[in-house]
Amino acid sequence: MIQLKKLSNITVMNNRVCPICDNTENIIIREIELKTYDFHPLDKNYKLVQCSNCGFMYNDTALKQVELDEYYTNQSKYDNKDVVSVGAGGITGLDKIRLSESAKIISKYIYDKDSSIIDIGCASGGLLYSLKEMGYVNLTGLDPSPICIERVSGIGNCKTILGSILDKDLKIDQKFDVIILTHVLEHILDVKKLMERLYDFLNKDGIIFIECPDSSRYHLHVHAPFQEFNTEHINHFSESTFRNLSTTMKIHIVETGLRTFKIENGLDYFAVYGVYKKTINNLAKIEKELTIDEIEKYLLISDNKLTIISDFINSLTYKNVVLYGIGQLSYKLIKITEDKQKLFFVDGDPRNQKRKIYGNVIHQPVDLPNLIDEDDSCIIISSFISSSSIKTDILRIFSVAKILPPKIFELDKLVENAI
Ligand SMILES: [Zn+2]
């Protein structure tokens, strides 16, 4: 068993002040190495730190908001309606079930079907669609992706705003009774600046509903190793974070809550939400967040899983190893593979197929038969969530090409069998 490399020295922060309490000191918990595709705007190692005052956990990234905005506008995966990801806001399958449950939770706080409701970071508009089905008629979607906005404009009489909520030049010419922010705040560099912006657009008695992944339960189902510490999730929320967020702003917390929903591999995913209202006298005090033990459990389980995978990849003697699936898990695997020359890259997302890793092109799946060197190749499916459907696709491609498929390894099954 691997021991955690826990560093307990307090350092003055170089990059971000605590997004929740403004403290300038943090404790470094872990640096996680990443290698993304070449010229990925978020191609930086993950520096997980904990605020020494309120206990908030976050990535002390050196990125600027403008770089994040550029990424979500032009390179985001969320404008693909078929993308399998929490927060993608799709309108199919499990995402539809999740978002219709979200609509039910939010509706407990909305008393009027005419209430003006805005979903910020609405992606494909799944939540707005569910609210419309429930009879809400005054709906607006805001998103930086033009493809998403075009899709949302097709939902009934839904109004749309194209842009980033943090863009000070963005024109929003009304106030809202309900502001919804689901699976957005974990992506935002300056959390309080965003909250202040929401405050400006909130009616006097309106509510802000925010949902994020629940860091206090990451360890209960560890999907791919270190999955929660990825290029996009730079803040880690729990119920106590939501309470602490209200202490330094002109808002008070009405309620926090936990929810659980299923993702494609049948496992549970855990989220936390907070509901806020405007307030004049904020008397709430910072409470020290106590999720560090849970985070350390998560890191330990992730360490063990990643070690199993890296030992396996580094022990392979094939001349060609095809890594199928260029996402958050591959970003970690590429970095720890000793013989990088043997790696070939394949991904089903057309945008990835224009990209390179260490100068080597990312191929489309139909290229697979050409990449395979008879008996000296294997394919590794680098996805824990979609491995079964990817394997079916691979077998179909080889069947059409009338070529015997090489050995295919599914990392989720490999890890399951090893533990
Ligand atoms: Zn703090």
Side-chain angles (χ1 to χ4, degrees), residues 8 16 23 25 51 78 107 110 118 208 227 275 284 303 378 405:
S8 57
R16 297 173 76 191
N23 180 33
E25 287 186 334
C51 169
Y78 300 114
S107 71
I110 316 175
I118 183 167
I208 302 173
Q227 179 71 20
V275 182
D303 266 328
C378 73

Side-chain angles (χ1 to χ4, degrees), residues 18 21 23 51 54:
C18 173
C21 77
N23 180 33
C51 169
C54 74

Side-chain angles (χ1 to χ4, degrees), residues 123-157:
S124 291
L127 180 55
L128 291 165
Y129 183 81
S130 293
L131 287 167
K132 179 180 167 280
E133 297 261 283
M134 292 174 75
Y136 294 98
V137 293
N138 193 351
L139 301 169
T140 303
L142 182 150
D143 203 90
S145 160
I147 297 170
C148 287
I149 282 300
E150 193 185 331
R151 200 170 288 141
V152 172
S153 65
I155 302 173
N157 294 320

Side-chain angles (χ1 to χ4, degrees), residues 7 39 77 95 117 140 153 244 252 256 272 283 295 359 390 397 404:
L7 305 170
F39 307 111
K77 66 189 180 205
D95 226 16
I117 302 170
T140 303
S153 65
N244 283 340
H252 77 269
T256 61
V272 56
L283 303 172
I295 294 291
I390 289 174
I397 287 165
L404 274 181

Side-chain angles (χ1 to χ4, degrees), residues 166-411:
L166 286 170
D167 178 357
K168 59 181 177 8
D169 297 326
L170 183 73
K171 285 231 173 322
I172 302 179
D173 51 13
Q174 71 168 102
K175 292 198 173 194
F176 294 90
D177 301 317
V178 180
I179 297 177
I180 302 169
L181 204 69
T182 67
H183 298 268
V184 169
L185 211 53
E186 66 271 27
H187 300 254
I188 299 292
L189 204 59
D190 192 337
V191 170
K192 288 173 65 176
K193 190 170 159 196
L194 173 59
M195 293 300 290
E196 282 161 11
R197 185 97 163 125
L198 301 188
Y199 184 93
D200 290 341
F201 300 125
L202 186 65
N203 276 328
K204 184 167 163 282
D205 295 316
I207 62 145
I208 302 173
F209 178 95
I210 302 175
E211 182 180 298
C212 295
D214 180 8
S215 63
S216 74
R217 293 183 291 166
Y218 286 169
H219 66 293
L220 294 182
H221 281 312
V222 179
H223 303 277
F226 301 105
Q227 179 71 20
E228 304 297 341
F229 303 121
N230 58 61
T231 51
E232 297 187 0
H233 288 190
I234 57 175
N235 305 313
H236 301 280
F237 291 88
S238 67
E239 283 187 288
S240 58
T241 318
F242 277 131
R243 287 191 288 271
N244 283 340
L245 181 58
S246 69
T247 59
T248 53
M249 307 194 67
K250 291 181 287 182
I251 50 174
H252 77 269
I253 189 107
V254 177
E255 198 167 19
T256 61
L258 302 177
R259 58 180 302 215
T260 302
F261 43 80
K262 291 262 180 256
I263 56 174
E264 196 197 349
N265 61 2
L267 292 180
D268 288 333
Y269 193 89
F270 303 103
V272 56
Y273 62 85
V275 182
Y276 300 91
K277 279 193 151 193
K278 288 188 173 184
T279 190
I280 298 164
N281 298 313
N282 194 340
L283 303 172
K285 297 254 183 314
I286 289 277
E287 60 177 274
K288 181 86 179 195
E289 187 171 329
L290 298 171
T291 54
I292 184 67
D293 287 350
E294 284 74 24
I295 294 291
E296 290 202 347
K297 277 182 205 158
Y298 179 82
L299 291 170
L300 185 59
I301 298 167
S302 289
D303 266 328
N304 288 338
K305 287 189 172 193
L306 195 63
T307 301
I308 290 165
I309 295 170
S310 67
D311 286 352
F312 168 73
I313 294 179
N314 289 327
S315 72
L316 292 173
T317 53
Y318 295 96
K319 193 171 129 220
N320 298 342
V321 173
V322 177
L323 211 50
Y324 187 123
I326 305 303
Q328 298 295 337
L329 178 55
S330 283
Y331 295 162
K332 284 142 195 159
L333 299 184
I334 293 164
K335 193 84 176 193
I336 57 174
T337 300
E338 287 163 4
D339 179 9
K340 294 177 177 43
Q341 296 301 317
K342 70 183 175 187
L343 291 178
F344 286 77
F345 308 108
V346 170
D347 194 74
D349 184 335
R351 282 161 305 175
N352 268 345
Q353 292 153 17
K354 294 176 204 140
R355 295 167 178 154
K356 292 181 177 177
I357 298 173
Y358 295 128
N360 297 316
V361 68
I362 301 173
H363 295 272
Q364 52 184 331
V366 292
D367 291 344
L368 272 171
N370 303 327
L371 300 175
I372 299 304
D373 180 2
E374 302 252 314
D375 300 327
D376 214 3
S377 301
C378 73
I379 299 173
I380 294 174
I381 300 176
S382 179
S383 166
F384 270 47
I385 293 183
S386 311
S387 70
S388 297
S389 59
I390 289 174
K391 187 172 182 182
T392 306
D393 278 349
I394 294 171
L395 293 175
R396 187 181 46 76
I397 287 165
F398 279 94
S399 166
V400 169
K402 296 191 168 53
I403 294 174
L404 274 181
K407 184 77 182 161
I408 300 171
F409 297 104
E410 292 168 88
L411 293 180

Side-chain angles (χ1 to χ4, degrees), residues 13 17-25 50-58 244 286:
M13 197 174 302
V17 297
C18 173
I20 303 299
C21 77
D22 299 333
N23 180 33
T24 57
E25 287 186 334
Q50 183 186 33
C51 169
S52 60
N53 180 42
C54 74
F56 183 57
M57 312 278 285
Y58 61 98
N244 283 340
I286 289 277

Side-chain angles (χ1 to χ4, degrees), residues 18-35:
C18 173
I20 303 299
C21 77
D22 299 333
N23 180 33
T24 57
E25 287 186 334
N26 64 31
I27 300 161
I28 299 170
I29 304 296
R30 178 67 70 91
E31 184 148 349
I32 300 161
E33 291 192 305
L34 302 172
K35 168 60 192 152

